[in-house]
Amino acid sequence: MNVGLFIPCYIDQFYPRVGLATVDLLERFGATVDYPEQQTCCGQPMANTGCQDDARVVAEHFLQTFKDYEYVVAPSGSCVAMVRHHYAGLFGTDARVEAMAKKTFELCEFLTDVVGVEQVEGEFPFRVGLHNACHGLRELRLGNPSEHMAQPFNKVASLLAGLRGLELVELSRSDDCCGFGGTFAVSEEAVSCQMGNDRLADHESAGTQVLASADMSCLMHLGGLARRQNKPLAVMHVAEILAGYEVPQPSPARS
């Protein structure tokens, strides 16, 4: 399997360990991974703020950068949802967009749906609270959202469940939004913070030790709120847990 690795902007700048864990996992399961250094952004921040012309330029660069790969994989449901579901709104009917949508996958769905991974070997003796990010849940269908009357499933949780000692905690509202929403966190700061604090309270009540997600953007928001309140809660991308990385120590809040 020839994989072009797409690392979202915020992971590249703030959480490089997530990118390294993604490579470790893909290679463990037989993928040949290439990181095209000319890659930039998927265009989601521009599209979300109404700058469609700017988003189209960035998306065009994405299409050119990854056009020759068999698969494109990213450790972000949010960015993959942008490519798969929203590029068509930028370009209209375009065979290049359709082809890219078919071969672009979020990391966990690539492992389960393409590679066929049913269990990841390893150990992680912690109580883990899984944050189901909105884009992954409702646009990529990584799991069944609670508003759907259907057989429950969750691709991210199924991968985590294979690790020895890992206990997934039960949340009272398992798929509420964290409140980040990209530029929503800037334009509606108070609402965004309240939504994030509500999610943290749910995890605290459930006894979460490690807050995990397939989207680092959600964890950046939740982890930032937890750090500023000196909450003893570690945050990790699912890739870091599955790859066997150590739990980071929570950073103290700046005075």
Side-chain angles (χ1 to χ4, degrees):
M1 292 173 289
N2 172 235
V3 170
L5 176 66
F6 176 63
I7 296 297
C9 322
Y10 54 94
I11 290 180
D12 179 57
Q13 294 296 312
F14 301 120
Y15 307 103
R17 197 172 85 146
V18 175
L20 296 173
T22 302
V23 174
D24 287 348
L25 269 176
L26 290 171
E27 291 183 339
R28 185 193 302 180
F29 289 104
T32 300
V33 183
D34 184 46
Y35 176 82
E37 294 188 3
Q38 68 271 31
Q39 65 180 271
T40 55
C41 172
C42 68
Q44 185 181 184
M46 302 80 163
N48 286 353
T49 47
C51 301
Q52 301 298 298
D53 291 342
D54 295 324
R56 190 177 302 107
V57 172
V58 177
E60 177 67 40
H61 182 71
F62 185 100
L63 293 174
Q64 288 298 318
T65 299
F66 290 100
K67 62 183 174 60
D68 293 328
Y69 290 99
E70 182 182 7
Y71 298 103
V72 181
V73 177
S76 168
S78 178
C79 294
V80 170
M82 175 67 191
V83 174
R84 191 181 296 173
H85 295 296
H86 300 290
Y87 272 17
L90 298 174
F91 294 95
T93 302
D94 188 322
R96 300 175 307 155
V97 172
E98 294 177 7
M100 189 62 70
K102 290 179 180 176
K103 68 178 184 179
T104 302
F105 292 87
E106 184 277 332
L107 173 64
C108 292
E109 72 170 351
F110 181 76
L111 292 177
T112 58
D113 296 3
V114 178
V115 184
V117 175
E118 295 182 352
Q119 184 171 343
V120 177
E121 297 292 334
E123 183 175 13
F124 195 76
F126 296 94
R127 289 171 60 83
V128 174
L130 177 60
H131 173 72
N132 294 302
C134 303
H135 288 87
L137 196 63
R138 296 185 171 84
E139 292 196 296
L140 301 182
R141 290 288 188 263
L142 299 182
N144 184 51
S146 58
E147 67 267 22
H148 285 190
M149 300 297 289
Q151 189 69 24
F153 70 95
N154 191 302
K155 297 174 185 178
V156 182
S158 70
L159 292 176
L160 289 172
L163 298 177
R164 296 188 304 278
L166 186 148
E167 179 185 354
L168 276 173
V169 303
E170 186 173 347
L171 302 169
S172 62
R173 299 175 69 89
S174 61
D175 55 5
D176 274 9
C177 175
C178 70
F180 177 56
T183 52
F184 175 80
V186 178
S187 60
E188 296 290 348
E189 177 187 354
V191 178
S192 172
C193 288
Q194 185 60 58
M195 293 171 70
N197 283 326
D198 287 348
R199 296 312 305 137
L200 290 179
D202 198 0
H203 281 280
E204 286 183 299
S205 297
T208 294
Q209 294 175 304
V210 178
L211 176 52
S213 177
D215 260 293
M216 205 63 219
S217 53
C218 300
L219 294 179
M220 179 167 61
H221 180 57
L222 294 172
L225 288 169
R227 185 172 64 254
R228 283 164 175 76
Q229 299 171 64
N230 291 314
K231 295 182 181 295
L233 188 66
V235 298
M236 293 181 75
H237 192 281
V238 170
E240 297 176 282
I241 296 176
L242 295 175
Y245 285 23
E246 293 183 355
V247 177
Q249 295 298 315
S251 301
R254 294 180 179 178
S255 58

